[in-house]
Amino acid sequence: EPEVTQTPSHQVTQMGQEVILRCVPISNHLYFYWYRQILGQKVEFLVSFYNNEISEKSEIFDDQFSVERPDGSNFTLKIRSTKLEDSAMYFCATGWWRDDGEQFFGPGTRLTVL
Amino acid sequence: KNQVEQSPQSLIILEGKNCTLQCNYTVSPFSNLRWYKQDTGRGPVSLTIMTFSENTKSNGRYTATLDADTKQSSLHITASQLSDSASYICVVSGGSQGNLIFGKGTKLSVKP
């Protein structure tokens, strides 16, 4: 059964460094999302992406964040200058229908900022 | 403010027993309501999606109900198994941006 994959599974970085989190969507999916989950808290929406552009973004998704599909398959989330409070689990999700359709989540990347 | 509240926060039951998890939401406009299962350290996995017009939906031993008038939903798990131990998250699609609004989840532990 096709699934969303994410790399790396765990990323440790120093505060101020740039990180890129990668996601490989299910092949026929058109809608892509990033969510984050700080330890012990609920999952929060970051951004949605469709037709090679951002559809929606939350207040969390500030200028330090960016997303792209550089090669038509991978979907990436870049954090330009990481802060301690960026430490969280980051989930990629993809779907073939619009935002209110089913979304399939990847296993997540645990980001630890020291 | 768009919110999804779940109860209880945590629950311990014996293997083979049934349980019911609750979800209340204040999300407008409303598109659909989902229940997800999230194992520790893993991504959420969809169990059910219900639209405004559906008031019950089953997926194996999981049965979700929706009362759109009172803005309440429940997830009933029948004949629990050890593998049901996980967090169960109620998620509403809607709000002004149409994205997903998550509850904090109910952490279910099934003991032998």
Side-chain angles (χ1 to χ4, degrees):
Chain A
E1 188 170 326
E3 56 184 23
V4 177
T5 60
Q6 291 185 241
T7 55
S9 57
H10 192 186
Q11 173 93 48
V12 181
T13 189
Q14 295 290 326
M15 191 169 57
Q17 295 296 304
E18 174 183 286
V19 295
I20 297 176
L21 311 183
R22 291 182 170 81
C23 168
V24 178
I26 295 172
S27 65
N28 61 344
H29 285 186
L30 303 175
Y31 292 80
F32 312 109
Y33 309 86
W34 283 101
Y35 297 87
R36 81 171 185 190
Q37 186 176 31
I38 295 170
L39 188 65
Q41 299 188 23
K42 61 184 178 182
V43 177
E44 299 172 290
F45 168 76
L46 291 179
V47 66
S48 59
F49 190 85
Y50 169 70
N51 201 25
N52 282 320
E53 60 183 28
I54 291 174
S55 306
E56 303 286 353
K57 58 183 180 179
S58 71
E59 296 168 349
I60 304 167
F61 194 88
D62 61 23
D63 293 343
Q64 293 299 312
F65 292 88
S66 63
V67 290
E68 62 176 359
R69 274 195 94 195
D71 55 11
S73 64
N74 289 291
F75 177 50
T76 63
L77 174 69
K78 182 192 291 186
I79 308 175
R80 264 180 269 284
S81 177
T82 50
K83 303 187 282 285
L84 295 176
E85 54 264 38
D86 292 327
S87 294
M89 194 76 154
Y90 287 82
F91 294 106
C92 171
T94 75
W96 62 72
W97 190 233
R98 59 188 186 205
D99 292 343
D100 58 356
E102 183 150 14
Q103 296 182 22
F104 296 82
F105 284 76
T109 292
R110 178 164 297 286
L111 176 65
T112 302
V113 182
L114 303 176
Chain B
K1 186 180 177 184
N2 291 317
Q3 284 190 318
V4 177
E5 302 288 342
Q6 291 186 245
S7 62
Q9 214 169 13
S10 62
L11 183 62
I12 300 174
I13 61 173
L14 292 176
E15 187 179 12
K17 297 297 186 184
N18 304 335
C19 66
T20 300
L21 314 179
Q22 302 291 343
C23 173
N24 297 321
Y25 63 91
T26 55
V27 177
S28 181
F30 172 88
S31 181
N32 57 55
L33 184 144
R34 311 145 187 244
W35 283 93
Y36 284 89
K37 178 186 179 186
Q38 185 178 24
D39 293 310
T40 302
R42 306 291 296 173
V45 174
S46 179
L47 296 174
T48 63
I49 298 179
M50 287 184 293
T51 60
F52 186 90
S53 59
E54 297 174 292
N55 54 25
T56 187
K57 186 167 270 191
S58 292
N59 177 3
R61 293 181 297 102
Y62 301 103
T63 299
T65 65
L66 173 64
D67 184 335
D69 292 331
T70 61
K71 299 187 177 180
Q72 295 180 322
S73 176
S74 66
L75 180 70
H76 186 75
I77 304 175
T78 304
S80 60
Q81 300 174 358
L82 298 178
S83 59
D84 291 334
S85 295
S87 283
Y88 290 84
I89 308 174
C90 177
V91 184
V92 178
S93 173
S96 58
Q97 291 185 313
N99 52 54
L100 300 186
I101 300 160
F102 288 73
K104 289 195 75 172
T106 292
K107 188 174 173 63
L108 176 65
S109 297
V110 181
K111 303 293 187 186

